[in-house]
Amino acid sequence: MIDDLAIGLEEALGMTLDRVVPLAAETVALIEGVDRVVSHDLAALVDSPSVDASLKDGYAVLSEEVAAASAEHPVRLSVTGMMAAGEKQDIRVVPGTTVRVLTGAKIPTGADAVVSEEFVRIEGREVLVGTFAEIGRNILARGSDVGRGKVVARKGSRLTPGMVGMLAAAGHSSVSVIRTPMVGILATGDEVVAPGQPLPEGKLYASNITTLGAWCRRYRMKTRLALVRDDPEEIYNVLKTLSNHADAVVTSGGAWTGDRDMVVRILDRLGWQRAFHRIRIGPGKAVGFGLLEGKPVFILPGGPPSNLMGFLQIALPGLLKLAGHGRPGLPVIPVRTASDLLGRHPRWTQFIFGMIETRSDLPVFYPLKGASRLQSMAEAEAVIAIPEGETVIPAGTVIPAQLLE
C-alpha cells in the first residue's frame, strides 16, 4: 500500500539540498586540504615553470643552425658553458655555439631548441649534432603547466592529491576550504547495545550507527555517536545536546508512528522545522528531514537496509552539501543489467544492491540474491534504482548505478 502522505525521491532530495547551507570556510595548510572542498576559486599566483626550461639533458641550440643536421652530415658547434636547474646565470647562444643544459635548466638567451644528448657526439670542447631540432623542441614553455592568474581549483571541487600538488606549483602554501562537519548520530531502542558490551538475549549490537559513522568518516567528517533507550526525556535531552554540539544530526530508529517511534514527536517538541517525513522509496520509506535551529536533522528508520538506503539517498547528499561539495551524492556510472530487475509499484522508487563486473564495453550489474540483509549491504559494490513509473528493467538495459566502492 502506497502512503499518500509520502513524497517522491526527487522532490525529497531537492527539498533537502535547497535547505542545507554549506558551513563557513577555514584556512588550512595545503597538505591538510586533501579531500576537502574548496571554498572559492583558486588562481595560480605564479607561472609554473617560471622560465622556459629544458625537458632533457642536452644542448641548447639555434634551430636554424641544425635544420639540416643528420647522422651522416652532423653540425659542429662550440660548447661555451653549462647551465643546470635553478641556476641564475645566463649564457647567450650565438651562431656557431651551443650551451650544455641539464633537465629543468633555464633556456639560454638566444636558443630556441634543445637537442637531446643522445643525438650529440662530443669532441673536446665541441659537439657534433646529428639531428635537426625545430623551434621549441624539448623546451617546456614558461607557464605551460599553469599560468599566473589561471583558475586551478574551482569552488565546490574536492582537492585530490594531484590538485594539491598543482596548487603548490601555482604558489599556494595554504588553502581556504569548507569546514568539515561534525555529525551527531543517535540510535534509539531498548534492544540496541553498544559494540564491545555484553549482549543480553533478545538484544543486538548497534551496527546501524557504526555503518553510518563509517560513511561519514570516509568523507573525513567527524562523528559523535550516542545510544538512547526508548525513553522520551532521554531522547529529548540527547537530541538537544547533539544539536548544540554538532553541525548536523542523524537519528537511527524510532522513525515511524508506533508507540515507541518517538523521534518525530520529540523533534516537534524541540521546535524543528520539518521539511518532510516519509518518501516513496524502498527500502527506506520512513526517512525524514528538517532543520533544528538552522542545523540539518535527518531521520532514518531502524531496519538496516532502510537505514542505509535512506542515508545514501538523502542524508549523505545533505551532509556533503553541508561540507561544500558542488555535486553532493555518490559517484554514478552507466552499467548494463545482467538480468531483469523487478520493482514493487509504479509509484515507488525501488533500490537494489548489487555487484559490478567489469567488461570491455560497459560494467555489468548483478543484483545480490540469497544473502542476508547485512551480508548484502556489506558485499554490495553499487546500487541501482527502478524509478517511479517503471516496474521492470529488462536484462541488457543501460542504466545509472551509484558506486559504493
Side-chain angles (χ1 to χ4, degrees):
M1 180 177 180
I2 298 299
D3 186 345
D4 290 333
L5 297 178
I7 64 175
L9 174 62
E10 185 175 342
E11 181 182 2
L13 182 57
M15 293 173 71
T16 300
L17 297 180
D18 284 345
R19 286 164 172 76
V20 174
V21 178
L23 296 174
E26 62 179 354
T27 300
V28 299
L30 182 56
I31 199 168
E32 298 299 326
V34 67
D35 282 336
R36 302 284 295 275
V37 176
V38 179
S39 65
H40 59 267
D41 289 354
L42 295 173
L45 305 177
V46 298
D47 288 328
S48 181
S50 58
V51 296
D52 291 344
S54 178
L55 286 169
K56 297 283 187 72
D57 288 350
Y59 293 83
V61 298
L62 300 171
S63 59
E64 61 182 17
E65 284 201 308
V66 296
S70 65
E72 294 76 21
H73 303 285
V75 173
R76 185 181 294 273
L77 299 172
S78 297
V79 180
T80 58
M82 185 186 79
M83 294 172 59
E87 289 184 348
K88 293 184 178 180
Q89 71 162 330
D90 188 17
I91 306 172
R92 177 176 290 274
V93 174
V94 298
T97 70
T98 183
V99 172
R100 167 76 167 159
V101 289
L102 302 184
T103 302
K106 175 184 176 182
I107 299 300
T109 299
D112 58 10
V114 173
V115 177
S116 183
E117 63 182 4
E118 57 264 33
F119 297 105
V120 170
R121 190 167 76 249
I122 300 172
E123 291 187 355
R125 296 185 59 82
E126 295 182 327
V127 293
L128 295 177
V129 178
T131 186
F132 74 96
E134 72 280 7
I135 294 175
R137 169 69 69 90
N138 295 324
I139 293 177
L140 182 64
R142 174 175 179 166
S144 56
D145 281 337
V146 60
R148 182 173 182 171
K150 180 181 178 182
V151 174
V152 180
R154 294 286 182 186
K155 176 181 177 179
S157 61
R158 183 178 63 87
L159 289 178
T160 63
M163 188 59 69
V164 168
M166 177 70 80
L167 285 169
H172 292 272
S173 60
S174 61
V175 62
S176 178
V177 292
I178 300 298
R179 186 166 61 81
T180 301
M182 164 68 79
V183 184
I185 306 178
L186 167 67
T188 67
D190 291 339
E191 77 283 8
V192 180
V193 177
Q197 300 299 314
L199 186 66
E201 185 177 354
K203 296 184 181 283
L204 51 85
Y205 284 122
S207 63
N208 281 351
I209 63 170
T210 305
T211 301
L212 301 182
W215 271 98
C216 290
R217 292 298 183 92
R218 168 178 278 189
Y219 290 95
R220 297 194 64 179
M221 299 177 195
K222 295 167 247 179
T223 57
R224 183 170 179 174
L225 310 184
L227 299 178
V228 184
R229 295 180 299 110
D230 287 321
D231 178 277
E233 292 309 310
E234 188 174 348
I235 295 173
Y236 179 95
N237 290 331
V238 173
L239 270 176
K240 191 171 182 179
T241 299
L242 284 178
S243 66
N244 286 337
H245 292 88
D247 300 301
V249 174
V250 179
T251 69
S252 174
W256 199 231
T257 56
D259 293 342
R260 295 195 174 187
D261 294 322
M262 298 174 274
V263 171
V264 174
R265 297 197 293 273
I266 292 170
L267 284 169
D268 288 339
R269 281 178 57 195
L270 287 166
W272 81 320
Q273 298 170 288
R274 184 196 304 192
F276 58 82
H277 179 212
R278 287 177 284 188
I279 309 177
R280 294 192 303 270
I281 64 173
K285 176 182 176 181
V287 175
F289 166 73
L291 299 176
L292 180 57
E293 297 183 355
K295 297 179 179 180
V297 178
F298 303 93
I299 302 171
L300 304 178
S306 297
N307 183 271
L308 179 58
M309 197 58 67
F311 178 82
L312 295 176
Q313 304 309 320
I314 298 295
L316 180 60
L319 293 173
L320 291 176
K321 174 74 179 294
L322 189 66
H325 287 252
R327 296 181 179 179
L330 294 168
V332 176
I333 63 168
V335 297
R336 195 181 305 280
T337 57
S339 59
D340 292 348
L341 302 176
L342 304 178
R344 294 184 179 180
H345 195 284
R347 289 186 56 202
W348 196 276
T349 298
Q350 182 70 35
F351 289 97
I352 300 174
F353 289 107
M355 305 287 286
I356 298 288
E357 181 180 292
T358 303
R359 297 285 180 86
S360 57
D361 54 350
L362 280 176
V364 176
F365 177 87
Y366 291 86
L368 284 167
K369 297 179 180 179
S372 72
R373 57 183 187 172
L374 291 182
Q375 186 176 352
S376 294
M377 291 163 52
E379 293 179 354
E381 297 173 336
V383 172
I384 62 93
I386 302 175
E388 289 190 28
E390 299 184 34
T391 55
V392 60
I393 297 179
T397 303
V398 176
I399 57 173
Q402 298 174 328
L403 293 181
L404 303 180
E405 296 294 335

